[in-house]
Amino acid sequence: MAAYFLQKYADSPLTITLFEADSRIGGKVHTQKFSSTDITYEVGAAELYDYSRNGCDSLRELVAELGLPTQPMEGWGVVIDGKWIGNLTDFRSAFGDRELQNFIEFHRRAQDQISPHEFYAADHPEGLPAHFANSPFVPFLDRFASPVVRRYIQTLIHSDLATEPRLTSTTYGLQNYLMNDSKYMQLYCIEGGNERLVRELASRIDVETRLNCKVETVFKTESGAIAVESISSDQRDLDEFDYVIVALPHNHLNSVVYSNDRLANAVRKHFEYYNHPAHYLRMTLLFEKPFWRHWMKESYCMLDHFDGCCLYDESLRQPGITQGILGWLVGGDAAERMSHWSDEELLEAALDSLPKELAHGKELLKEGVIKRWIKAVSALPGGNNPPPLHVRHCPEPVEHSHLFFIGDYLFDSTLNGVLDSAEYVAGWIAANLMLPTVTPPNNSTIPFSNVHNSLHKTTKEVLHVNQ
Ligand SMILES: Cc1cc2nc3c(=O)[nH]c(=O)nc-3n(C[C@H](O)[C@H](O)[C@H](O)COP(=O)(O)OP(=O)(O)OC[C@H]3O[C@@H](n4cnc5c(N)ncnc54)[C@H](O)[C@@H]3O)c2cc1C
């Protein structure tokens, strides 16, 4: 994404090298085939978030720009003690009128705390009131939700949260609750698999891609360039660049050594500030046919098993296939705990979590795949008090102002966050590269209007480049 935006925004050709430790690019956006058939399933990111109802949605626009067809995803069911709760009438039948009133009141309070507009703007420092970001989620739940309502809410949000309420903030907890309200956002996926997003981007960028090439060290040279030391099949390389973007998720930041004490200290602080690991575990099962369709017709529902998990009808993404695919997305402590189980134990547990009326489905199982994603996402993206954007992206701005970090942990733990982060840094670098052309002769200052207005550059930085 960063390479795509850099080439789009720069006013002259750039020479870009992409280092990827794996044999494929895409990381956690991965659409994979089962071993017994060409049918695919999502290994990582399952859906994309659509904010377009409340403002400009850069990811939606990018998907459209790349010509990728999309499909809406919806799910209203929460299954508690075997009861399907899909609307307020179901809620009343399951828990009674008093609990329903408490739930309606909780929903009203959540909306009062974060309006759709605030939800939309929340990734930017000015988006939410500062005092709010800090407060822990548990006291809010204790205060406003009865034990029954709290259990319902936790079941509803646990798999999106990927952590426990005690480990996150009221803001992030409520964001994950309110995302189920269509006034706040909708969900969609890319027809043919979410990885098509990566493939389309890759086909449009002109970069040297080095696969199976792990970056080991980053440091600044005496001449002021940024050096990248990498290793691939026992061959070490040292390359020098004008700018370097470290596009690693939080749990991979320390796979690189940042030489020089000043930089190492800054990256250590950056790592520690965002160190709020959250976990996922995905179990995807292929069946001879979708035997559950009389019970679940939507893209997904939430089950009260594994502390609250999401059950996807993955086969709805592939109209026309006769087989059925169910995907269990387990999050938080349960995912961490269960990651130590064997694949066979996990497949058994997934099948056992289906409601009694679907028990016969076990006989239709053809193949099951497990993917463990421990520490792969953030329980508190942005940290306790999300800093200004330039601080998030440039941990050591004094001697390493050309070394940037981007990632979902700086925003919201989603692909929308990856895009916001990549676009911000790409815009910054592109504008820096353009600066000499906007420098007025014999003038010591550059009016801000001459600089890309989304860059948040400081006057000091502009003056420094001008000198
Ligand atoms: C199970 C699961 C479900 C999710 N569901 C959703 C969802 O529904 N919607 C959503 O928007 N987001 C979702 N996410 C989050 C989404 O997947 C991430 O936000 C996004 O993929 C992060 O992209 P990234 O490029 O920053 O990191 P990654 O995708 O992790 O890519 C990082 C890349 O860096 C490479 N690498 C690591 N170390 C080195 C090194 N030293 N040198 C070179 N290369 C290196 C890795 O091989 C990898 O390819 C989900 C995540 C998980 C785990």
Side-chain angles (χ1 to χ4, degrees):
M1 279 184 186
Y4 179 78
F5 287 119
L6 262 173
Q7 291 189 329
K8 188 169 166 181
Y9 294 153
D11 65 349
S12 53
L14 303 176
T15 307
I16 300 179
T17 307
L18 199 155
F19 296 87
E20 168 54 63
D22 204 351
S23 56
R24 56 172 279 280
I25 56 168
K28 296 191 279 278
V29 185
H30 192 179
T31 310
Q32 189 164 293
K33 286 180 185 164
F34 286 98
S35 60
S36 57
T37 154
D38 277 351
I39 295 172
T40 59
Y41 63 95
E42 297 298 342
V43 183
E47 64 239 351
L48 284 71
Y49 294 4
D50 180 350
Y51 298 95
S52 55
R53 195 175 272 194
N54 293 312
C56 156
D57 181 333
S58 305
L59 185 56
R60 226 3 180 156
E61 286 177 6
L62 177 65
V63 168
E65 187 176 310
L66 299 174
L68 292 167
T70 62
Q71 193 184 313
M73 292 176 67
E74 274 185 347
W76 308 111
V78 177
V79 183
I80 295 191
D81 296 333
K83 291 183 202 125
W84 178 279
I85 303 163
N87 54 38
L88 293 183
T89 310
D90 295 344
F91 195 100
R92 182 192 276 126
S93 312
F95 307 123
D97 207 39
R98 204 174 146 158
E99 297 296 349
L100 176 67
Q101 292 315 315
N102 182 270
F103 173 58
I104 291 171
E105 178 63 11
F106 179 89
H107 189 69
R108 194 187 59 72
R109 282 193 188 276
Q111 288 182 312
D112 285 351
Q113 293 284 350
I114 307 179
S115 69
H117 180 73
E118 285 169 329
F119 181 89
Y120 171 76
D123 283 338
H124 297 270
E126 67 282 10
L128 288 171
H131 69 270
F132 196 62
N134 261 329
S135 68
F137 192 30
V138 168
F140 186 91
L141 285 171
D142 285 346
R143 189 158 168 216
F144 298 116
S146 70
V148 168
V149 170
R150 182 171 167 160
R151 184 171 169 218
Y152 171 84
I153 290 165
Q154 281 187 220
T155 306
L156 177 68
I157 68 175
H158 190 245
S159 86
D160 283 314
L161 210 51
T163 189
E164 309 310 313
R166 69 175 192 284
L167 298 173
T168 195
S169 65
T170 305
T171 305
Y172 195 54
L174 288 184
Q175 282 171 339
N176 279 277
Y177 170 71
L178 290 165
M179 65 181 266
N180 296 287
D181 181 334
S182 58
K183 285 197 293 297
Y184 286 77
M185 59 166 250
Q186 281 97 40
L187 299 177
Y188 64 102
C189 62
I190 295 174
E191 278 179 23
N194 293 336
E195 192 173 327
R196 287 186 70 193
L197 173 66
V198 181
R199 288 203 296 268
E200 286 301 325
L201 284 170
S203 71
R204 282 166 167 81
I205 52 176
D206 179 16
V207 304
E208 180 194 336
T209 303
R210 298 194 200 163
L211 296 177
N212 299 308
C213 187
K214 180 175 180 287
V215 172
E216 292 208 320
T217 316
V218 171
F219 61 97
K220 191 170 172 183
T221 66
E222 281 181 10
S223 66
I226 302 184
V228 171
E229 195 182 2
S230 61
I231 180 159
S232 56
S233 55
D234 293 343
Q235 182 188 323
R236 281 189 182 278
D237 280 305
L238 190 65
D239 299 87
E240 292 189 5
F241 300 95
D242 298 322
Y243 291 87
V244 168
I245 302 176
V246 178
L248 294 178
H250 181 270
N251 61 331
H252 285 257
L253 283 178
N254 289 338
S255 67
V256 175
V257 173
Y258 308 90
S259 291
N260 158 334
D261 285 352
R262 190 182 180 98
L263 178 62
N265 278 336
V267 178
R268 186 180 43 75
K269 282 186 192 148
H270 178 86
F271 176 87
E272 281 166 9
Y273 176 77
Y274 293 104
N275 192 14
H276 304 283
H279 321 288
Y280 273 133
L281 176 86
R282 196 185 272 291
M283 309 182 277
T284 312
L285 277 62
L286 174 70
F287 298 93
E288 274 168 35
K289 60 181 181 184
F291 60 91
W292 54 87
R293 289 271 167 80
H294 64 284
W295 177 77
M296 175 172 75
K297 295 186 177 58
E298 298 159 355
S299 319
Y300 60 88
C301 72
M302 302 297 173
L303 300 181
D304 57 355
H305 287 78
F306 317 127
D307 305 343
C309 74
C310 185
L311 179 68
Y312 289 95
D313 182 345
E314 284 272 326
S315 31
L316 280 181
R317 295 171 196 262
Q318 300 172 72
I321 62 166
T322 52
Q323 295 90 332
I325 309 164
L326 284 178
W328 281 253
L329 183 61
V330 180
D333 286 356
E336 207 279 331
R337 210 170 49 236
M338 290 166 65
S339 70
H340 304 290
W341 300 6
S342 69
D343 286 7
E344 292 70 29
E345 286 171 319
L346 289 169
L347 294 177
E348 195 66 37
L351 289 167
D352 286 345
S353 72
L354 289 173
K356 279 196 201 97
E357 62 261 45
L358 299 181
H360 64 284
K362 279 186 183 184
E363 313 303 321
L364 303 171
L365 181 67
K366 287 171 74 90
E367 189 182 338
V369 214
I370 305 293
K371 178 70 192 178
R372 297 162 179 83
W373 291 106
I374 301 310
K375 297 188 179 180
V377 284
S378 172
L380 195 57
N384 265 315
N385 281 307
L389 295 182
H390 64 277
V391 176
R392 292 185 218 184
H393 290 97
C394 190
E396 206 298 281
V398 177
E399 288 177 9
H400 300 85
S401 61
H402 287 196
L403 175 62
F404 296 95
F405 286 66
I406 61 177
D408 61 358
Y409 63 96
L410 303 172
F411 284 85
D412 64 354
S413 252
T414 74
L415 287 167
N416 301 72
V418 174
L419 185 148
D420 285 347
S421 192
E423 191 174 20
Y424 177 77
V425 167
W428 189 338
I429 294 175
N432 254 307
L433 295 170
M434 282 184 238
L435 272 176
T437 60
V438 296
T439 307
N442 306 322
N443 195 341
S444 61
T445 59
I446 299 173
F448 262 123
S449 57
N450 282 355
V451 183
H452 192 296
N453 62 10
S454 70
L455 297 182
H456 304 261
K457 284 179 68 63
T458 64
T459 319
K460 203 171 146 197
E461 279 170 316
V462 176
L463 285 174
H464 176 73
V465 175
N466 194 33
Q467 280 154 13

